[in-house]
Amino acid sequence: MQGNTAKTCSKKCQGQITRDQLLEFEVSGKQVRMDSKLVGSNIAWYSRYELIHETLRLFINEREEHIFNKSLSKEMFSLIESIQGETGNKVVYRSTKAEVDARFVELGKLMYRFIGLFKKHDYGHYQTLKAVFEQQYSVGRDKTVVPLEKEKVSAKSIQSPHDTDCHYRDKDGNKVKGYSVNVTETCDQPGDDKDTALNLITDTEVTVASAPDNGFLEQALDRTQEIISDKIEKVYADGAYHSADNQEYCQSDKNGIELILTGMQGPAPRYDIRLDEQNEINLIVTDNKTGTTIQAQRVKLRKDKTQRKWRIKTEEGKYRYFDEDNLRAAALRKKLDDIPIDEKNIRNNVEASIFQLGYHYPNDKSRYRSLAKHKLWAYSRSLWINFVRIVNYMTRISQRALFWQKLPQYIINLCFNMYIIVNILSINKNNHICPVKLHFSAI
């Protein structure tokens, strides 16, 4: 409860302060860009065995007095003592693979026994113990405990008992056990009357590492629109933000946003497809490998006759099918190819914001554990990046005397507000309700 309150208050503070900054410095926000970054949690990289061993060790230490009063076999008491006396990595180091696998099964049996013995006392590490067991083992009808196959263990499973929020993700070879941070910022361009433009981070979101990037877009744009004065007209992002839902959201009559992607995920397709300009019933297919052009055959659908589907015969004599989704994807690729390189490059500067966000973590691993702490860190860091940008911006235009006079009071106000935020979140720990009338201003 307290963690949720801190996250809500901190997010609200970020929005209010940024809104006032955008108004004070007349930042438009008609154009925005976004990018994401994976951040590792401050946990050890456990193998499956080490995860089970450490989870049991924490639970045993918490319930030691009660465990040794239970009716357990001598073998189980001996196993419990060995867990307490040796860390999981040492067991793995001195044991063969067969020995580790056998011990993994024994630990599963001990976990299952604890779950049954303490089900009426599910405080502390009990829920973690139960969750880890259910994610790593299965129980047969005869109560036999069997480890799940490695392929069946979800990336969303608990990675460490010391941080039960974080997930696993392998993003283009970058393996992380932690969280994904998404940053949205304005990208105003210098005008005729300005040789420089101020751009600020408008929204920061943190979630588990397994979450896809395209899940950030809609909420990030909604939150940004709430605090900027102008209507968002363009959003720049990479191909990871593409999805049918995001295209529909941006193109809706309510939003009317142009989603400009730098590309689409995945390799270039073997076939380029387009409708015949003379007859849109026909599909023209171009083999990008051989350069040959083929007219596809229309396929009659029995179930949904409103949909269209075509096929061609490949060199191997097999049929390759194309549908409406393939046609839309091909049209989008063509549209992206026609975007000038200068406009595509507008997105690139958001990578500098991502770099500054994780500046103190060059190895992409934070000093925090839990989703709540990573959110508070990201919100605070974003506010600081905006603050530095404003100071640098005002320094560059310092020749305008009247404008420069605003700097001292502005810095005082912003620092004072940041001081208040820290005190509310760290000192007033007994207050579990975020004040309804909480308001912060940077001006």
Side-chain angles (χ1 to χ4, degrees):
M1 182 69 175
Q2 183 177 327
N4 291 331
T5 302
K7 287 183 291 182
T8 303
C9 288
S10 185
K11 185 68 175 176
K12 188 174 181 179
C13 293
Q14 182 194 17
Q16 289 181 352
I17 290 175
T18 305
R19 179 196 60 200
D20 290 342
Q21 291 170 337
L22 293 166
L23 290 172
E24 172 72 7
F25 296 98
E26 299 177 351
V27 179
S28 170
K30 288 182 180 180
Q31 297 184 139
V32 298
R33 55 196 171 202
M34 63 179 66
D35 199 6
S36 67
K37 176 184 179 65
L38 294 178
V39 178
S41 179
N42 186 24
I43 56 174
W45 194 279
Y46 289 142
S47 64
R48 286 183 71 186
Y49 174 84
E50 290 170 317
L51 170 65
I52 302 300
H53 186 109
E54 183 65 10
T55 302
L56 274 167
R57 188 187 68 80
L58 292 175
F59 182 79
I60 291 168
N61 288 345
E62 180 183 72
R63 309 289 180 98
E64 183 174 7
E65 182 180 348
H66 304 286
I67 287 173
F68 284 95
N69 289 329
K70 298 292 183 180
S71 177
L72 299 172
S73 65
K74 290 183 179 179
E75 290 77 11
M76 281 195 171
F77 278 125
S78 177
L79 183 58
I80 290 169
E81 290 175 354
S82 69
I83 293 171
Q84 289 180 299
E86 191 175 22
T87 59
N89 64 324
K90 289 183 178 180
V91 174
V92 173
Y93 180 77
R94 65 169 174 78
S95 305
T96 64
K97 185 180 183 303
E99 290 172 337
V100 171
D101 290 344
R103 190 175 171 91
F104 189 78
V105 175
E106 295 303 313
L107 295 188
K109 293 177 181 178
L110 182 60
M111 273 185 144
Y112 186 61
R113 186 81 171 103
F114 283 157
I115 291 169
L117 288 174
F118 294 95
K119 61 182 178 181
K120 293 183 179 180
H121 308 280
D122 57 353
Y123 60 87
H125 290 286
Y126 178 85
Q127 292 299 335
T128 302
L129 181 85
K130 187 172 183 291
V132 170
F133 176 82
E134 291 172 349
Q135 293 165 359
Q136 299 287 340
Y137 297 91
S138 63
V139 181
R141 293 182 179 180
D142 58 349
K143 305 297 182 182
T144 302
V145 176
V146 180
L148 287 178
E149 296 175 8
K150 184 179 179 180
E151 294 74 20
K152 292 183 179 180
V153 178
S154 172
K156 299 178 181 180
S157 62
I158 292 174
Q159 304 298 313
S160 169
H162 298 287
D163 185 351
T164 57
D165 294 331
C166 71
H167 286 185
Y168 172 79
R169 185 174 178 182
D170 184 350
K171 184 178 181 180
D172 300 326
N174 180 22
K175 299 178 181 180
V176 171
K177 293 184 177 182
Y179 303 92
S180 181
V181 185
N182 189 78
V183 171
T184 306
E185 67 177 10
T186 62
C187 51
D188 293 354
Q189 302 302 304
D192 296 334
D193 58 336
K194 293 182 179 180
D195 58 356
T196 185
L198 173 64
N199 287 301
L200 301 176
I201 295 174
T202 56
D203 182 73
T204 310
E205 188 54 62
V206 185
T207 188
V208 291
S210 61
D213 290 350
N214 57 27
F216 288 114
L217 187 135
E218 185 173 337
Q219 192 174 51
L221 293 182
D222 284 343
R223 287 176 175 164
T224 296
Q225 189 62 77
E226 289 175 0
I227 64 173
I228 64 174
S229 56
D230 292 322
K231 186 178 182 299
I232 298 174
E233 296 177 357
K234 292 183 179 181
V235 55
Y236 298 87
D238 62 32
Y241 289 85
H242 168 67
S243 73
D245 289 342
N246 286 342
Q247 293 288 347
E248 182 179 349
Y249 167 83
C250 291
Q251 295 169 10
S252 66
D253 294 336
K254 175 186 174 183
N255 297 315
I257 300 172
E258 184 180 359
L259 176 57
I260 300 177
L261 303 173
T262 56
M264 293 182 67
Q265 286 186 306
R270 165 81 182 264
Y271 300 98
D272 184 25
I273 60 176
R274 59 180 174 83
L275 291 174
D276 190 343
E277 295 179 359
Q278 305 298 325
N279 186 349
E280 292 192 353
I281 294 176
N282 298 327
L283 184 73
I284 305 300
V285 181
T286 302
D287 189 333
N288 292 324
K289 186 176 181 180
T290 63
T292 57
T293 300
I294 313 162
Q295 183 168 318
Q297 297 177 340
R298 183 78 181 270
V299 178
K300 292 183 179 180
L301 300 177
R302 295 180 180 179
K303 295 182 179 180
D304 189 355
K305 295 183 179 181
T306 61
Q307 295 293 316
R308 294 180 295 178
K309 196 170 186 177
W310 301 266
R311 72 179 185 182
I312 61 170
K313 202 167 188 178
T314 65
E315 296 174 348
E316 294 80 15
K318 299 178 181 179
Y319 285 110
R320 171 73 164 84
Y321 291 87
F322 304 95
D323 58 16
E324 298 276 6
D325 290 338
N326 298 131
L327 192 59
R328 281 191 288 268
L332 180 59
R333 285 183 186 274
K334 179 67 171 62
K335 180 182 177 182
L336 296 179
D337 289 340
D338 294 338
I339 296 174
I341 189 65
D342 290 343
E343 188 164 17
K344 284 185 178 181
N345 288 341
I346 291 175
R347 187 206 73 89
N348 294 347
N349 282 355
V350 73
E351 295 179 357
S353 300
I354 290 292
F355 173 78
Q356 290 298 330
L357 186 77
Y359 179 78
H360 298 290
Y361 308 127
N363 296 321
D364 292 337
K365 185 173 183 178
S366 79
R367 65 187 67 167
Y368 305 108
R369 296 173 179 173
S370 83
L371 180 59
K373 290 182 180 179
H374 280 86
K375 284 190 173 186
L376 294 176
W377 158 74
Y379 300 157
S380 303
R381 183 68 183 165
S382 297
L383 282 172
W384 177 251
I385 291 172
N386 282 352
F387 173 68
V388 173
R389 286 183 179 180
I390 289 169
V391 172
N392 291 339
Y393 173 74
M394 296 183 74
T395 301
R396 287 195 297 270
I397 60 173
S398 60
Q399 63 272 22
R400 304 176 190 178
L402 292 177
F403 202 75
W404 180 249
Q405 290 174 8
K406 294 182 180 181
L407 179 59
Q409 188 58 44
Y410 180 83
I411 293 178
I412 292 171
N413 289 344
L414 186 54
C415 290
F416 180 69
N417 280 317
M418 294 183 76
Y419 173 79
I420 294 175
I421 293 170
V422 172
N423 276 274
I424 285 179
L425 299 180
S426 62
I427 297 176
N428 194 14
K429 295 181 179 179
N430 295 323
N431 181 14
H432 301 308
I433 301 175
C434 184
V436 176
K437 297 183 180 179
L438 183 66
H439 179 76
F440 293 91
S441 174
I443 59 178

